[in-house]
Amino acid sequence: MKIAIGSDHAGFELKEKIKAFLEDFGHNVLDLGCYSKESVDYPEFGVKVAQAVLNKEAERGILICGTGLGMSMVANRFRGIRAALCHELFTTKMARLHNDANVLVLGGRVIGEALALEMVKVFIDTPFGGGRHERRIKLIDELTKE
Ligand SMILES: O=C(CO)[C@H](O)[C@H](O)COP(=O)(O)O
């Protein structure tokens, strides 16, 4: 799967770990920065990943900042992006099954590496459940129709 990934400085180290983990599993990772621990502003990277998913340069996105809050606020401004800020495995799984989340958002200062990698695996491997959830997702998109 092609996956776009982005972080700010607070998520940089976890981004590097996730990138290596995904590549080990044979995924194609589009790393949209940042590229060091130097302080940056997270909206720039949230926008890049959201646009990559919307433009179909990647099937899914992963965003990481300190808490995950700023990145999820940015990504969810884009119609068609369903960014899920998760801190544990259950909501990660439900984000795919019920919400068809196309972006996973993580807090690099909130969760540890081992849990983050497990969550990434669940996010990649869990299919959307469809059915009644399809209708609800369409209703989300209708909220921001021009
Ligand atoms: O979590 C974040 C946004 O939601 C940022 O990573 C965090 O605010 C960055 O903080 P600082 O500039 O103090 O390193």
mmCIF file of all heavy atoms in Angstrom, residues 6 32 39-40 50 70 79 88:
data_model
loop_
_atom_site.group_PDB
_atom_site.id
_atom_site.type_symbol
_atom_site.label_atom_id
_atom_site.label_comp_id
_atom_site.label_asym_id
_atom_site.label_seq_id
_atom_site.Cartn_x
_atom_site.Cartn_y
_atom_site.Cartn_z
ATOM 1 N N GLY A 6 3.663 12.221 7.608
ATOM 2 C CA GLY A 6 4.191 13.555 7.906
ATOM 3 C C GLY A 6 4.181 13.803 9.402
ATOM 4 O O GLY A 6 3.374 13.218 10.129
ATOM 5 N N LEU A 32 6.621 13.077 3.632
ATOM 6 C CA LEU A 32 6.431 14.489 3.277
ATOM 7 C C LEU A 32 6.998 15.433 4.336
ATOM 8 O O LEU A 32 6.669 16.616 4.360
ATOM 9 C CB LEU A 32 4.935 14.749 3.040
ATOM 10 C CG LEU A 32 4.369 13.967 1.838
ATOM 11 C CD1 LEU A 32 2.855 14.078 1.771
ATOM 12 C CD2 LEU A 32 4.988 14.448 0.534
ATOM 13 N N SER A 39 12.601 22.762 15.124
ATOM 14 C CA SER A 39 11.214 23.184 15.329
ATOM 15 C C SER A 39 10.563 23.688 14.033
ATOM 16 O O SER A 39 11.125 24.517 13.318
ATOM 17 C CB SER A 39 11.178 24.287 16.397
ATOM 18 O OG SER A 39 9.849 24.675 16.622
ATOM 19 N N VAL A 40 9.369 23.149 13.757
ATOM 20 C CA VAL A 40 8.600 23.544 12.568
ATOM 21 C C VAL A 40 7.143 23.728 12.988
ATOM 22 O O VAL A 40 6.778 23.443 14.134
ATOM 23 C CB VAL A 40 8.690 22.465 11.454
ATOM 24 C CG1 VAL A 40 10.078 22.410 10.837
ATOM 25 C CG2 VAL A 40 8.258 21.088 11.982
ATOM 26 N N ALA A 50 -2.705 15.469 3.845
ATOM 27 C CA ALA A 50 -4.125 15.492 3.452
ATOM 28 C C ALA A 50 -4.233 15.612 1.936
ATOM 29 O O ALA A 50 -5.013 14.874 1.300
ATOM 30 C CB ALA A 50 -4.842 16.652 4.139
ATOM 31 N N GLY A 70 -3.220 19.010 16.980
ATOM 32 C CA GLY A 70 -3.079 20.004 15.907
ATOM 33 C C GLY A 70 -3.176 19.355 14.535
ATOM 34 O O GLY A 70 -3.886 19.861 13.648
ATOM 35 N N ARG A 79 -12.288 18.310 3.013
ATOM 36 C CA ARG A 79 -13.426 17.454 2.670
ATOM 37 C C ARG A 79 -12.908 16.145 2.062
ATOM 38 O O ARG A 79 -12.086 16.178 1.154
ATOM 39 C CB ARG A 79 -14.304 18.184 1.662
ATOM 40 C CG ARG A 79 -15.534 17.440 1.275
ATOM 41 C CD ARG A 79 -16.506 18.380 0.583
ATOM 42 N NE ARG A 79 -17.709 17.648 0.283
ATOM 43 C CZ ARG A 79 -17.958 17.083 -0.898
ATOM 44 N NH1 ARG A 79 -17.102 17.207 -1.885
ATOM 45 N NH2 ARG A 79 -19.064 16.421 -1.075
ATOM 46 N N GLU A 88 -5.020 4.246 21.355
ATOM 47 C CA GLU A 88 -5.022 2.817 21.707
ATOM 48 C C GLU A 88 -5.617 1.995 20.559
ATOM 49 O O GLU A 88 -6.108 2.552 19.580
ATOM 50 C CB GLU A 88 -5.711 2.550 23.065
ATOM 51 C CG GLU A 88 -6.933 3.379 23.359
ATOM 52 C CD GLU A 88 -8.086 3.089 22.478
ATOM 53 O OE1 GLU A 88 -8.349 1.906 22.227
ATOM 54 O OE2 GLU A 88 -8.740 4.045 22.027
#
